[in-house]
Amino acid sequence: MHRRDFLTSSLAAATSLAAPAIARGAEARVLRFVPQANLPNLDPVWGTQYVVRNASLLVFDTLFGLDASLTPRPQMCESFETSSDGLTWRFRLRPGLTFHDGTRVLARDATASLGRWMARDTMGQLIRVRLDAMAASDDRTFEIRLKTPFPKLLFALAKGNPNLPAIMPERIAQTDPFKQIGEFIGSGPMTFQKDEWVPGSRAVFARFDGYAARDEPGNWMAGGKRIYFDRVEWQIIPDAATAAAALQSGEVDWWETPLPDLVPLLRQNEDVRVDIADPLGNVGILRMNHLYPPFNDVRLRRALQMVVNQPDYMRAIVGNDDALWKPMPSFITPGTPLYTEAGGEALSGPRDFAGAKKLLAEAGYGGEKVVMLVATDLIITKGQGDVSADVMAKAGFNVDYVATDWGTVGARRAKKDPPSQGGWNMFHTWLAGVDCINPAPNIAIHTTGPKAWFGWPDNPAIEAMIGDWYAAPDLASEKQQIEKINRASMEFVTFIPTGFFYGYQAWRRGVEGIVKAPFPVFWDVKKA
């Protein structure tokens, strides 16, 4: 049975069942939202799952925020200044900032929070190695003193991709950055209702009356984050047909990631609106563990790269609408200033199963299990996993397909244990296009070994190229460095891009203010 036919029939059956499944509340004061996946935790620093980042943006605030032009704007900061040599940065917090527990936001909270973030985030680590000192000079002022300049410091403090430079009380920020926090206190526009949190079912956020919004209009992560609801209720609905039925019947207001196969049906409902969620799209990723066989051998990584056919992966994610995806023989988002296909022949040429089998033989691969973690509750990850399982079997890999949920993948991929002892060899995910516009926000392209993102690739030469990109004086020089990085990363097979794709979002007609962005923007959303 074809996926589209199955979903269509399932939707018809689910529509009649959706009404009693989700309780109604005060319509104008409650927003019911279906997120992309279950919310497994609420630590904005510990991991890199987008669903955690999306929830964290409601609870926590940041010193700066990126607007829709990708320009860093002051958020919690009232003002800042930097020395002429770029080594000393002084920041002053806005007055009246308050945490959800009623305590004032102080400069020492900011320095403690940034210290925890620097231990986990790729850009944070780059700042950390340049850091001479970071300390509060009074309750609202702190300084960052560097040993060498870091021109992209404000971008790092404003970025919206995980790990998020979120500000939390000093006592919570002192938590080991490699352990999850257990107290979810921020100064953002909403509080997390921990007593109503049912993992796998729902998460609830309540408006924080003590939130000090900026005067200017909201603009992505920048500006005034004004919430017009008493409550935002996340309803976890893994089954797409059930989620679609709930949206059509009015039991939920907003669905973050509707399946493309269901979009034609949703558009037939005059009470539902559908649009592209993010103009910068998404990048599919096949991530390998560089610590253990077989993928600690570059020949095995190249063998897999030789059989990855991006159109197959993209159609498994978005269906048959070819307008929703593009081939992407690159590590940089298509259509952005630094996009390059240097070295991309490894992904754009004919697929070579014979060549892959030859590499497997040369490397002495003996059919050892390849533990592939597949989150089957997300079509993006399941679609990619199913394609990989098929092509890898044809190429001669022995795949151990571990079907699980996204929360479990997020926890298990952080383990450096051998695959036979609870670790892993590969998993699939995606990055927002905005996070791949250059190496700064791209957590997957770095090759810093034990400090790198999950998979821990280690290649000092590529890291040196990335360092040269940071030091590039102009766009032309940046492009030259990016070409070198892209070519070297393709040869090293840091990871395998599986293509570029757009995703949809859908909402009820009476909901106003929903914008296109790399994350769901809840501020300024209202019900008519």
Side-chain angles (χ1 to χ4, degrees), residues 398-470:
N398 178 16
V399 178
D400 181 10
Y401 185 112
V402 180
T404 184
D405 62 87
W406 186 228
T408 300
V409 171
R412 186 168 172 180
R413 69 183 183 178
K415 294 182 178 180
K416 293 183 178 179
D417 301 323
S420 61
Q421 299 176 25
W424 55 279
N425 291 118
M426 59 182 288
F427 69 90
H428 300 83
T429 185
W430 76 101
L431 290 178
V434 69
D435 297 338
C436 299
I437 58 173
N438 62 50
N442 191 335
I443 58 176
I445 202 170
H446 286 269
T447 55
T448 50
K451 294 182 179 180
W453 192 51
F454 311 120
W456 308 284
D458 192 349
N459 190 312
I462 292 177
E463 276 305 299
M465 295 176 194
I466 293 175
D468 290 340
W469 171 80
Y470 271 101

Side-chain angles (χ1 to χ4, degrees), residues 23 74 128 140 154 346 455:
R128 193 180 191 184
R140 289 177 52 201
L154 293 185

Side-chain angles (χ1 to χ4, degrees), residues 248 265-273 507-509:
Q248 293 198 79
L265 293 171
L266 293 175
R267 282 179 167 156
Q268 293 175 14
N269 189 321
E270 62 180 12
D271 291 323
V272 173
R273 300 290 180 262
W507 63 95
R508 296 286 297 177
R509 181 178 59 178

Side-chain angles (χ1 to χ4, degrees), residues 335-352:
T336 59
L338 295 179
Y339 181 72
T340 178
E341 295 184 3
E345 302 83 11
L347 283 174
S348 59
R351 302 298 81 198
D352 187 358

Side-chain angles (χ1 to χ4, degrees), residues 56-101:
S56 296
L57 288 175
L58 286 170
V59 175
F60 301 94
D61 214 345
T62 52
L63 297 170
F64 290 78
L66 287 183
D67 66 13
S69 69
L70 304 183
T71 301
R73 305 290 185 188
Q75 188 59 25
M76 295 177 73
C77 278
E78 178 183 65
S79 62
F80 70 97
E81 58 185 33
T82 183
S83 60
S84 59
D85 59 7
L87 297 180
T88 301
W89 295 76
R90 183 175 293 106
F91 303 92
R92 186 162 180 80
L93 298 175
R94 291 192 290 128
L97 299 179
T98 307
F99 285 120
H100 300 158
D101 61 1

Side-chain angles (χ1 to χ4, degrees), residues 16 60 76 84 168 216 219 248 252 256 273 311 328 337 354 357 360 390 410 420 430-431 435 445 457 480 507 516:
S16 63
F60 301 94
M76 295 177 73
S84 59
M168 57 189 69
E216 58 265 34
N219 187 340
Q248 293 198 79
V252 298
E256 182 183 0
R273 300 290 180 262
M328 182 184 159
K357 290 179 180 179
L360 263 63
D390 180 57
S420 61
W430 76 101
L431 290 178
D435 297 338
I445 202 170
Q480 291 178 357
W507 63 95
K516 294 182 179 182

